[in-house]
Amino acid sequence: MTRYLAHPFDDDKLKEECGVFGVIGVPDAANFVALGLHALQHRGQEAGGIVAYDEREGFNNARRFGYIRDNFTKADVMQMLPGSLAIGHVRYSTAGSKGHTAIRDVQPFFGEFSMGGAAIAHNGNLTNAAALRRDLIDRGAIFQSSSDSECIIHLMAHSIHKSLAERIKDALRAVEGAFSVIAMTRTKLIGVRDPLGVRPLVLGRIGEDGYVLSSETCALDIIGAEFVREIEPGEMVVIAKGQVASSRPFNPAKSRFCIFEHVYFSRPDSILGGRSVYETRRQIGVELARESPVEADLVCPVPDSGTPAAIGFAAESGIPYGMGIIRNQYMGRTFIEPTEQIRNMGVRLKLNVNRALIKDKRVILVDDSVVRGTTSRKIKDMILDAGAAEVHFRIASPPTAWPCFYGVDTPDRDKLLAATMSEDEMRDWIGVDSLKFISLDGLYRAAGEAKGRDASCPQYCDACFSGEYPVAPSDQIAKGFTMKAAE
Amino acid sequence: MTRYLAHPFDDDKLKEECGVFGVIGVPDAANFVALGLHALQHRGQEAGGIVAYDEREGFNNARRFGYIRDNFTKADVMQMLPGSLAIGHVRYSTAGSKGHTAIRDVQPFFGEFSMGGAAIAHNGNLTNAAALRRDLIDRGAIFQSSSDSECIIHLMAHSIHKSLAERIKDALRAVEGAFSVIAMTRTKLIGVRDPLGVRPLVLGRIGEDGYVLSSETCALDIIGAEFVREIEPGEMVVIAKGQVASSRPFNPAKSRFCIFEHVYFSRPDSILGGRSVYETRRQIGVELARESPVEADLVCPVPDSGTPAAIGFAAESGIPYGMGIIRNQYMGRTFIEPTEQIRNMGVRLKLNVNRALIKDKRVILVDDSVVRGTTSRKIKDMILDAGAAEVHFRIASPPTAWPCFYGVDTPDRDKLLAATMSEDEMRDWIGVDSLKFISLDGLYRAAGEAKGRDASCPQYCDACFSGEYPVAPSDQIAKGFTMKAAE
Amino acid sequence: MTRYLAHPFDDDKLKEECGVFGVIGVPDAANFVALGLHALQHRGQEAGGIVAYDEREGFNNARRFGYIRDNFTKADVMQMLPGSLAIGHVRYSTAGSKGHTAIRDVQPFFGEFSMGGAAIAHNGNLTNAAALRRDLIDRGAIFQSSSDSECIIHLMAHSIHKSLAERIKDALRAVEGAFSVIAMTRTKLIGVRDPLGVRPLVLGRIGEDGYVLSSETCALDIIGAEFVREIEPGEMVVIAKGQVASSRPFNPAKSRFCIFEHVYFSRPDSILGGRSVYETRRQIGVELARESPVEADLVCPVPDSGTPAAIGFAAESGIPYGMGIIRNQYMGRTFIEPTEQIRNMGVRLKLNVNRALIKDKRVILVDDSVVRGTTSRKIKDMILDAGAAEVHFRIASPPTAWPCFYGVDTPDRDKLLAATMSEDEMRDWIGVDSLKFISLDGLYRAAGEAKGRDASCPQYCDACFSGEYPVAPSDQIAKGFTMKAAE
Amino acid sequence: MTRYLAHPFDDDKLKEECGVFGVIGVPDAANFVALGLHALQHRGQEAGGIVAYDEREGFNNARRFGYIRDNFTKADVMQMLPGSLAIGHVRYSTAGSKGHTAIRDVQPFFGEFSMGGAAIAHNGNLTNAAALRRDLIDRGAIFQSSSDSECIIHLMAHSIHKSLAERIKDALRAVEGAFSVIAMTRTKLIGVRDPLGVRPLVLGRIGEDGYVLSSETCALDIIGAEFVREIEPGEMVVIAKGQVASSRPFNPAKSRFCIFEHVYFSRPDSILGGRSVYETRRQIGVELARESPVEADLVCPVPDSGTPAAIGFAAESGIPYGMGIIRNQYMGRTFIEPTEQIRNMGVRLKLNVNRALIKDKRVILVDDSVVRGTTSRKIKDMILDAGAAEVHFRIASPPTAWPCFYGVDTPDRDKLLAATMSEDEMRDWIGVDSLKFISLDGLYRAAGEAKGRDASCPQYCDACFSGEYPVAPSDQIAKGFTMKAAE
């Protein structure tokens, strides 16, 4: 019944909703999954779950609220998860019903079928889940959770196919939206990415015959696994007995990977689409310095997500780089039942200005994005209170003007600052001397597209900036969401 | 009964043992103390305590294991701590008896005297506590804890003075070693610093009539208090009804502030002795680049403590600065009851190499210190595994060759790498292409002493580097510790 | 992950597996359900659950391990269960898979249907659940639990009927075995008893328009409800808007109420079939004294279940009644993670002999039943150690020789002492001077059947004594259970 | 911070405040202490503590809120308490400051002295503790708790004697009031009873060389120890290496054992002063039936404390004995944070009337005592609601008109019904057909004093009935308590 308060600060960020990880072919696979999920914790901090299969003990699962490191490192929990095949999931809480997640919403989801059990973990969001759920209930399904992802296991249950791998295909052909799914049966580890490949999923190798599936490469590093390749958009891999079998269950489509993974979601030490996230972010800073230069004394990151772009901006501009804002290292993600006074402290609990460095300087602050803008305002106040002469904001993404329906928690459109204001209005509202966003083309260039964005057929999903949704969000449209008018 | 495992990584750092914070003259003072302690959490993460005094409710206290943010932000805890006068303490666990702290060891300590109650919180370490304890027990004292600091409250109890402030003076005149003490009676907030001023203590102002005492200035910032001045070495301040009365209870002595506070313990956004910690650290990097230059492609901090020196090194050397090592943001300080496998993961749980950036580069790693050297070796392994062409370590402090007895948790002397090896031997043992420490003079210069260290009468306590102990560690000598032979 | 150890002592009793309770038409119905379940706690101690429906808040549920009084009395739990309609369940843990129940096995079970949600709570056991489960999985059902009762909610989901009440009928027509079911929709409270009426279910009235369904009448008393009548075997009642509608969904059958409810399961202050349980038990003692008299100095109950029969025995025989065995009042049902030494203490943790009373006396011990016989032996040892001259056991039920498949946790047949030994062999094995069980006819007489048992068509289900199962235990037979040969 | 609510029902009983238990000369002595304390749980339910001494591990202690069986049966707790010498304590919460006990108030208390450590556990109450505490604070003592018993350890610390046993003598000579103390040093188990012997303390033997000290004999039974004898009033025993040395440190006085231990506090299976508690209680019933007979149909105990007297009353009067009131077995002592509705349920949560038995009968209810009288009234209401024709209360103790200051929690005098009303007024206020208390002489006869009470020099302490306090309650008198005027 405990109420958690999300960071006042984090409330002004877009949040990835999930990370997935699976291992086959190593003893005590759940231990590896726990480590992998720990490395993916930035993709979801509210809760985590692991399902493991052991020939003698069968399927076992554990679900816990809180960080992986606080739960899935305990011997008594891990002993309950024996076996050489396991998958796991970390979850961010959507601002859902009554503001809290029930433990039954925590993945992986498990189902018993006549041919044996199967578990699935899903990163992404199904855009037709509400309609599917209605139909499944009409056919006799009893839902355990309020999660869109549970549809997949019920679709599997109602498939007429004999093999579980076929049932997974069947189920995923019926869903729309973004999904990187990891599944397991008693003998197989399975990975699938939606036809557009919106969310990441990579394949790694460990030990003699072991294989790993992970949302990001940084989670391969922590367990010492070798990065093999990305699962391709629209690809399904079935791994068993040291063999990886690949197939293409969906109609072919042009890849539309989420560009915000490069900007903010993924960890800087991951490789996405063959490209270093850190390098892309540093290059965004370089592009920003070219597009929107300004005379100043100091380039400061808003820690920690603005750091690589700030390094790039400083290097390109020749303006010294410095830590003008210091982050409290002991700030967790949430406060439990905070007092009113604590609630009002906001960003101060997390950040402090390095007054001695800032005083009398013209400061360029580099941040990753502006969502509601409330945090930008507070940071500006702190910087000015500390005696800065000027404050210039440089933002490592274009204005965020549209919600994401593919697995990212975004405020309603009318809460997005960029949906209601021009760049100049935003500058005045935040109260800084200048405010500049990187251009969409600049972002594409930083992400390795030398010619920038291909407007007729964009190389990435950039719906949150452009309003161009590669998959129609049908549940949302049914609830009244208005898409951008065709131009 | 839960066993905590300190970070395998943190195990290779010196640890500050305490932070103290007190407020008088504001409503709900305990809330401010909680925030101040949160900002001082880097000085002690194992446990925290707060004592508050309210005219109607009297003295109340709460002690908890774990972070301040997890305990002292809850309404039900804070409601138990009413009043406009409160003090608090964060504590690091010394590698003490049976490896764990009892809750009764958590400060502040409270005593009831015939003239009313008093509580004290102590940062530092008493070098004659063992002897004092024996004597106090002989006189009838019943000790509650195994803490050296408890002596102070018993010395107060046995003082013949009538006023509590006089009793505190009396008690502190009997102790030797390093102490920054914050105390409270029903009406007074009291601060005292030992004659050498080894540990920091600052005075701040808040609201109309409110005053604050804090280990560091960064904790004034979080509550919006104004920095007034440092409590001077050997000074005692008694604050009541909006008035600050200063006195000098001890024989005068030359100040010997701990130079390691500049190097590592204090937060970079604090001001110590009128000097920005961040700026001192950045300047250490500059000095290091001058003293020990090397050709390379990249300057990388070992996060997070090496960052300011790395920025300085990069700026001075002209070699690009980059984040070659990425820190896991969701790494807490401890694992509860970890499995064997987790225990063996070590530094990997916390750090990952940014492979794409490191590959084929000659890398300069800037770290704050080398204690046992075990972590340096592991980091070197990670960097080489990622394909670095060369690895050069630059250390922002001189070789740590002597234990500290003034409130810092140091390994026994024979566990200190620099106590048993020369710089070249250390380089070979760690296995890097070069290893250089800043000189003692360079460090003093970076800390603002233009002429370097005054060997006849050093401006700082640097016993951990020099073996010159400004206060004889008499308990340790009684137990067999051999001091450096006079030269 | 905590392991509970059932009482060494309770291990030698048959255990009722469930109690059910529901209320409609009163504000904060869940509070009444909590009280009712507290009064039914003897029917299941491992876990409890409540589902409540409120027009604004919809369906809410809470499930907890442990006693009702420890969980469902807390304001924070009860606030989550608003509304004027609620049902609940207490559960005894079957010695099931891995010796522990998952929280997902705790009832009531809830399902969302196209016409709205429904919850059910089940007392009894379905004898064809394994077969039903297989068929339902083949039709696409995803089971959440390992409970036989979950079949009912899936059968409802697959029904073609439009109304939930009809779907419940449909589901219960498909199941075999013993069931007293309480269900709720958004507007209705529903109660059903299987055609034989093996488990109890009563109707009560509270306040203006409120109605109650409960396993026993004692739970009506605690909330001040008036006892209206029993739900009849094979009857279904649908209660809405202060009206009770009765129907008969099943083929008619002769009632076969469980006679062991009279002997042990139900509380002595309940009324079953129009008869006081206390009075039946006292009368069993009277019959026993007539059937198996013995010269002695003292009649002692084995507390607490043997007490009413001991009172009857003493009254009939004229031998003084006394408390020769004292029960520890602070003995809960379980120990959490006990040490080996505690584990071996057995019955001593719970009972102590009143030595001063027992010494040199010829003692008649009256107990309710003999299951494995291990406890009887230990009690005999304690009585003899205390100096009793003779020990005579009188048992308030016939020899328990057959397992129950209708909702009672019984050991396998070969663990039942009476299945493998004659009465004389049991006497010798237990080691007492005499051992006598009440006859089956005597038991029926005590239960109000003046002519005793009607062998051609018994008035009760007495399968545990007679081996005559009124419903074939088909799942068990499929697993190899051999029924008694027809005579 | 959790708030516990004492039973509404228990609120109307006098409460023993402590039980003590110690063992020497057996391996894993703490396990035996845990079992002994479990058997003494009726003497204190709020918290318990154990101190154990092991040659290698030294002194260890554990203190926990809640029942012994919930805390001191866990392997992880008991492993922390190795050694062959241990003592323990169960504590009832006095209605003290802010209604809750701090964990630091939980005994045994431990002190480190120059000659080694010692721990003490105290049953009773010191009547001059407030004065002693003031004096000790003046001499430099720092108190850890608000408990009167802590004075003993500080008195020991200030003793000039060399041996700990001598220091205990010294300390106990300075205190006034009632005390049965168990103490331990590294090698000795020590037991002392105050000169009047107000509280019980017995000596037992276990194994080869093992000895036990316990508040009651029932706790010897649970560990299979043999009852040797009572520690005599004013006696001190020092047990070491299998030898028991006895001495008499105090001035001789006539014994004044607490008669309420016979009436209610002690367990019925204990032996006090050579007399069975059960037998005394049964005999009280016999005396009551002789003193205050009445025509009726049924004798009912108020469970469970009225049961033996009811058995005696029924036997003497010839009126049938029956269980007219049924106790809920799953009622713990407390509710945690109950809802308002639960709070108002009062006695109904614990007791239910056996309506079928009571209806139309003239009922004699036998209860142990009347304190505030509130529960008697509620029980009468329940009995009349169930249709009883007449209700007659017979009370197994004289009217309780004076508070106890010797270790029993009593309401203030003006809350005691018998302090403000005559017997007839009480009968009318409770609302029963008749109300009779046993006479003081009758009680003494039942306790084995054939000639009744010796008014010039009573054989027992009966201050709660007579107002004759054998030790002047000096702290209370200082606070304004008025003793009974001499007649």
Side-chain angles (χ1 to χ4, degrees), chain A residues 31 35 38 69 73 75 221-222 269 278 304 323 327-330 332 337-339 341 345 349 352 354, chain B residues 31 35 38 69 73 75 221-222 269 278 304 323 327-330 332 337-339 341 345 349 352 354:
Chain A
N31 271 315
L35 288 165
H38 172 60
R69 69 147 211 264
T73 52
D221 296 343
I222 199 172
D269 47 340
Y278 174 83
D304 288 332
M323 293 169 67
R327 193 180 177 215
N328 186 325
Q329 310 252 12
Y330 302 98
E337 301 166 18
T339 60
Q341 196 169 3
M345 293 300 296
L349 293 170
N352 190 26
N354 185 349
Chain B
N31 271 316
L35 287 166
H38 172 61
R69 68 149 212 262
T73 51
D221 296 342
I222 199 172
D269 47 341
Y278 175 84
D304 287 334
M323 294 168 67
R327 194 180 176 216
N328 185 326
Q329 309 252 13
Y330 301 99
E337 302 166 18
T339 59
Q341 196 169 2
M345 293 302 295
L349 292 171
N352 191 26
N354 185 350

